[in-house]
């Protein structure tokens, strides 16, 4: 796992992917910070975080699009799958590397919070809530992206499908509102990423929400392992 | 040691490998010979645990590759058909990654330096893989298989894409490695497996058509009754002269040159060796024999010989597949 983790990190910075992701993230957060906090003269950063979800929807597919599809395309999976590394080790190595890049991106939000604190007294509980929520949301999105990447050999297809899948997850609560059947609507809104996420932006640490994102993450990583396993047996 | 027992692989209805069994002993180089689409790579992918088998068993040093994959994979160095290289890494970064990936315990820098010396990639050690030529990529692929000094080496067409002097070097390297390793290498060149391997398994359409030592197989395949002679003489007279030699069945003009140095294909009985008499005849007529050699077997001839016509049909199918 360690070897794969280190190689992935290296790959993010020897290919443009890592830079594109960070640039998108920093540019987006800079712009939204400027618009919502600086211009408005508000110490409330929640709206910046909420707007940043749109950046996530675009940036995370770029971060994860090549994780597994490219291995298959370049036939380098032949080297990974014939080495003494478990499939879980392989998938976790890739996930953790992508997540570390993501942390580097989110860390910038903390810088903005410190900037704000120089002028006003921000609500640290809300800021930490936002950051934690953002981390969890991102982890779930990354694992969805990795899962989608394991389904195709084409990076671009992988990115587009990931984007669609994440958008779906994001819109689940709106979809739920349209479903006439009450129980189905409840189930769908129970799976809504946004509803779960909103709790954090208020500074509320609801354990069930934390567990929701962690399980979403685990489910998609598990599915990725299954896809890799299945391919060997086809 | 590699033991393969009744191994099969089906892709839907298509049978890529059909119930094959063979053994490669320690210190033995086993050649895997077959035309395109015979199932060589598929077999190797099953041996290395890249794909699973539909049926049967593969044991690497007694360890079942599907039951204890972690343990079995540690014993194997694999060079797939296309070297599994990351184009954006340097050779150094790549080999270090493989070293970590295989959880290798040998001292890193000296071990990797030894391998680089062995496959002669020291001069490209700091280059980015995507800028390397095909031959160098093949060598980096071979280096990758050697990392961790695994006891079993599985090499899928290791000399493809190399220049002739490199081919000779890599073959002699494989021969050297064969003394202390179990090696399986695949090829569709008969002379290559004859030179390098102790034992040869011939595979066609997913089934084994021959499994024998190099000597026995060469004996079966010996082709002394087809000679190619290069003779400087008037064509018509040569035909007449050779025709009088006992045992000659057929003469054919292979290549005609303006200076009347022509190549002739002479087919004889299986039993008679006409080489001495042929030479006498040519020189006594005052002509000049500039070359004489036995004709190389094509894969088509091999399958014809090995299966006595049974797999002719099969081979034709596979050559058709190759053209598509
Ligand atoms: N993933 C797959 N799906 C379906 N058929 C496959 C697959 N992989 C291989 N085959 C089929 O299995 C057969 C054996 O292929 P294989 O690659 O093992 O041949 P080979 O002996 O290595 O040939 P070559 O000399 O061209 O490398 C072929 O007919 C091929 O079409
Ligand atoms: Mg092959």
């Amino acid at each position: 796992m360690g070897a794969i983790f280190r190689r992935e990190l290296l790959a993010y910075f020897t290919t443009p992917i890592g830079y594109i992701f960070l640039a998108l993230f920093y540019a987006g957060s800079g712009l939204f910070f400027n618009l919502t906090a600086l211009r408005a003269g508000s110490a409330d950063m929640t709206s910046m975080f909420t707007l940043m979800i749109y950046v996530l929807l675009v940036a995370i597919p770029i971060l994860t699009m090549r994780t597994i599809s490219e291995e298959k395309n370049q036939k380098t999976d032949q080297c990974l799958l014939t080495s003494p590394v478990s499939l879980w080790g392989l998938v976790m190595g890739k996930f953790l590397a992508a997540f570390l890049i993501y942390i580097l991106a989110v860390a910038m939000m903390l810088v903005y919070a410190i900037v704000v604190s120089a002028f006003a007294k921000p609500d640290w509980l809300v800021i930490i809530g936002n950051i934690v929520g953002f981390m969890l949301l991102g982890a779930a999105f990354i694992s969805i992206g990795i899962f989608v990447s394991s389904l195709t050999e084409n990076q671009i297809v992988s990115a587009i499908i990931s984007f669609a899948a994440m958008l779906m997850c994001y819109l689940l609560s709106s979809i739920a509102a349209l479903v006439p059947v009450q129980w189905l609507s409840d189930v769908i809104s129970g799976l809504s990423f946004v509803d779960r996420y909103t709790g954090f932006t208020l500074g509320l640490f609801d354990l069930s929400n934390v567990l929701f994102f962690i399980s979403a993450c685990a489910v998609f990583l598990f599915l990725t392992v299954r896809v890799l396993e299945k391919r060997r047996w086809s | 040691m590699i033991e393969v027992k009744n191994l099969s692989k089906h892709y839907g209805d298509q049978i890529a490998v059909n119930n094959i069994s063979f053994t490669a002993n320690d210190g033995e180089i086993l050649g895997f010979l077959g035309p395109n689409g015979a199932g060589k790579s598929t077999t190797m992918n099953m041996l290395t645990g890249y794909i699973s088998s539909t049926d049967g068993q593969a044991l690497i040093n007694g360890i079942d590759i599907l039951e204890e994959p972690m343990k079995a994979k540690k014993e194997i160095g694999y060079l797939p058909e296309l070297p599994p290289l990351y184009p954006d890494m340097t050779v150094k970064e790549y080999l270090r990654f493989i070293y970590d990936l295989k959880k290798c315990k040998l001292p890193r820098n000296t071990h990797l330096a030894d391998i680089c010396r062995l496959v002669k990639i020291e001069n490209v050690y700091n280059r980015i893989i995507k800028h390397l030529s095909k031959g160098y990529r093949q060598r980096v692929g071979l280096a990758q298989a050697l990392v961790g000094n695994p006891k079993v080496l599985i090499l899928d067409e290791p000399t493809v894409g190399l220049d002739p002097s490199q081919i000779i070097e890599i073959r002699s390297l494989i021969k050297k490695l064969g003394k202390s390793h179990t090696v399986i290498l695949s090829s569709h060149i008969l002379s290559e497996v004859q030179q390098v391997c102790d034992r040869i398994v011939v595979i066609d359409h997913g089934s084994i058509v021959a499994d024998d030592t190099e000597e026995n197989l060469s004996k079966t395949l010996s082709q002394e009754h087809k000679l190619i002679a290069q003779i400087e003489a008037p064509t018509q007279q040569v035909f007449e002269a050779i025709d009088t030699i006992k045992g000659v069945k057929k003469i054919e003009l292979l290549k005609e040159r303006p200076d009347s140095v022509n190549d002739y294909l002479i087919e004889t009985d299986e039993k008679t060796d006409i080489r001495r008499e042929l030479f006498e005849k040519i020189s006594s007529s005052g002509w000049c024999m500039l070359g004489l050699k036995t004709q190389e077997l094509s894969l088509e001839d091999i399958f014809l010989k090995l299966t006595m016509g049974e797999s002719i049909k099969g081979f034709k199918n596979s050559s058709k597949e190759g053209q598509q």
Side-chain angles (χ1 to χ4, degrees):
Chain A
M1 184 176 101
I4 290 169
F5 173 72
R6 282 191 296 277
R7 199 208 77 77
E8 284 291 305
L9 274 188
L10 183 76
Y12 281 124
F13 293 108
T14 50
T15 61
I17 302 275
Y19 300 105
I20 291 176
F21 176 77
L22 290 177
L24 264 177
F25 212 91
Y26 291 155
S29 59
L31 178 70
F32 294 141
F33 178 63
N34 190 344
L35 291 179
T36 61
L38 292 186
R39 291 274 166 84
S42 139
D44 176 20
M45 292 173 67
T46 301
S47 44
M48 174 185 92
F49 280 101
T50 312
L51 285 170
M52 276 307 287
I53 293 179
Y54 296 107
V55 175
L56 271 198
L57 290 177
V58 176
I60 290 202
I62 292 174
L63 185 70
T64 58
M65 64 182 182
R66 42 151 287 284
T67 41
I68 295 181
S69 58
E70 189 66 358
E71 302 274 2
K72 215 169 20 156
N73 193 20
Q74 298 276 347
K75 304 273 184 257
T76 43
D77 60 336
Q78 237 167 344
C79 155
L80 300 182
L81 297 177
T82 58
S83 65
V85 175
S86 68
L87 290 178
W88 268 108
L90 197 167
V91 173
M92 281 310 285
K94 289 190 172 278
F95 171 77
L96 290 176
F99 193 56
L100 185 67
I101 303 288
Y102 180 71
I103 289 175
L104 283 181
V106 176
M108 185 56 91
M109 316 281 235
L110 211 57
V111 175
Y112 296 141
I114 292 164
V115 170
V116 169
S117 71
F119 301 102
K121 206 176 163 325
D123 188 344
W124 280 105
L125 197 65
V126 170
I127 287 174
I128 290 171
N130 268 307
I131 288 180
V132 170
F134 219 64
M135 293 282 197
L136 289 168
L137 183 67
F141 277 171
I142 287 171
S143 62
I144 291 175
I146 290 179
F147 169 65
V148 172
S149 177
S150 74
L151 299 175
T152 163
E153 275 179 48
N154 186 318
Q155 299 185 35
I156 306 300
V157 172
S158 160
I160 291 169
I161 297 179
S162 308
F163 171 73
M166 288 171 201
L167 194 64
M168 265 287 287
C169 292
Y170 178 71
L171 293 177
L172 274 180
S173 55
S174 320
I175 294 169
L178 299 176
V179 174
V181 188
Q182 186 57 41
W183 66 267
L184 193 59
S185 162
D186 287 347
V187 170
I188 294 175
S189 69
L191 291 172
S192 164
F193 280 42
V194 173
D195 291 354
R196 302 274 180 176
Y197 172 74
T198 315
F200 292 103
T201 62
L202 306 172
L204 302 173
F205 294 89
D206 187 339
L207 190 63
S208 73
N209 290 346
V210 174
L211 286 179
F212 172 81
F213 284 115
I214 291 177
S215 356
C217 198
V219 164
F220 283 103
L221 293 180
F222 171 77
L223 288 176
T224 311
V225 170
R226 293 294 307 165
V227 168
L228 293 177
E229 222 160 57
K230 181 101 194 313
R231 197 185 300 152
R232 288 178 57 206
W233 292 90
S234 67
Chain B
M1 172 135 143
I2 304 167
E3 294 158 89
V4 174
K5 296 175 187 162
N6 307 100
L7 207 61
S8 296
K9 180 74 188 179
H10 300 194
Y11 286 111
D13 301 338
Q14 202 195 354
I15 300 173
V17 171
N18 187 12
N19 198 21
I20 63 170
S21 307
F22 62 88
T23 310
N25 297 311
D26 291 340
E28 186 175 58
I29 305 180
L30 184 95
F32 223 54
L33 183 68
N36 292 138
K40 304 182 294 288
S41 303
T42 307
T43 307
M44 290 184 154
N45 282 335
M46 286 192 281
L47 293 182
T48 52
Y50 178 60
I51 56 174
S52 66
S53 48
T54 311
D55 210 349
Q57 202 182 21
L59 301 175
I60 309 295
N61 289 332
I63 308 162
D64 190 309
I65 185 75
L66 288 181
E67 271 163 29
E68 289 180 272
M70 289 294 153
K71 228 170 121 195
K73 284 171 184 173
K74 277 203 178 122
E75 312 269 323
I76 306 175
Y78 181 32
L79 170 64
E81 197 158 31
L82 288 170
L85 308 175
Y86 291 96
D88 289 311
M89 291 174 112
T90 65
V91 174
K92 176 177 165 182
E93 285 164 353
Y94 175 66
L95 290 180
R96 289 188 170 187
F97 163 62
I98 298 291
Y99 176 94
D100 289 345
L101 192 69
K102 293 190 179 177
K103 304 183 178 85
C104 184
K105 295 286 186 301
L106 301 159
R108 186 177 73 178
N109 290 345
T110 52
H111 179 54
L112 294 185
D114 286 345
I115 290 173
C116 290
R117 202 168 328 110
L118 217 52
V119 298
K120 299 219 165 57
I121 51 170
E122 296 133 305
N123 52 335
V124 297
Y125 197 50
N126 289 309
R127 297 263 297 274
I128 293 174
I129 290 174
K130 104 180 126 193
H131 299 152
L132 296 182
S133 67
K134 170 91 178 77
Y136 271 100
R137 286 184 202 190
Q138 188 71 19
R139 286 193 252 173
V140 175
L142 190 59
Q144 163 274 132
L146 296 175
V147 170
N149 207 358
K151 290 189 214 84
V152 172
L153 290 175
I154 296 182
L155 312 173
D156 200 347
E157 304 192 19
T159 56
V160 162
L162 301 179
D163 63 43
S165 75
Q166 265 306 309
I167 290 182
I168 293 169
E169 262 176 58
I170 295 292
R171 281 181 192 162
S172 70
L173 171 64
I174 293 172
K175 269 194 141 160
K176 205 164 77 189
L177 291 167
K179 297 207 175 79
S180 49
H181 298 73
T182 311
V183 182
I184 296 191
L185 76 87
S186 78
S187 176
H188 48 251
I189 307 164
L190 176 69
S191 59
E192 171 161 284
V193 285
Q194 275 179 327
Q195 262 177 49
V196 179
C197 306
D198 308 309
R199 264 209 15 252
I200 300 176
V201 169
V202 184
I203 178 170
D204 186 25
H205 269 76
S207 304
I208 291 181
V209 290
D211 176 357
D212 214 333
T213 61
E214 191 270 316
E215 283 149 36
N216 284 345
L217 200 72
S218 292
K219 232 178 270 165
T220 332
L221 297 176
S222 70
Q223 180 104 55
E224 261 157 34
H225 60 289
K226 263 191 189 172
L227 297 169
I228 297 175
Q230 196 176 57
I231 300 164
E232 186 176 17
T235 317
Q236 201 48 46
Q237 278 158 313
V238 171
F239 268 104
E240 281 157 18
I242 295 176
D243 222 14
T244 61
I245 301 174
K246 203 170 142 278
V248 173
K249 274 170 30 189
K250 206 170 124 198
I251 319 162
E252 216 178 285
L253 188 61
L254 267 188
K255 192 169 183 184
E256 198 169 7
R257 294 191 189 81
D259 55 358
S260 77
V261 178
N262 299 335
D263 290 355
Y264 302 87
L265 178 71
I266 306 165
E267 213 173 305
T268 63
D269 289 342
E270 309 241 343
K271 281 161 244 89
T272 29
D273 185 358
I274 63 150
R275 286 178 298 178
R276 285 174 199 82
E277 205 184 327
L278 179 67
F279 186 79
E280 288 291 321
K281 195 131 220 162
I282 301 294
S283 61
S284 67
S285 309
W287 302 325
C288 208
M289 171 116 77
L290 297 173
L292 182 65
K293 64 176 182 204
T294 54
Q295 196 196 19
E296 289 248 358
L297 276 178
S298 68
L299 268 179
E300 190 163 12
D301 298 330
I302 297 172
F303 290 108
L304 265 172
K305 282 209 139 193
L306 287 176
T307 56
M308 294 303 187
E310 229 178 287
S311 77
I312 310 174
K313 205 170 71 236
F315 180 76
K316 285 210 178 115
N317 287 341
S318 75
S319 55
K320 234 183 281 153
E321 187 184 85
Q323 282 159 12
Q324 276 166 6

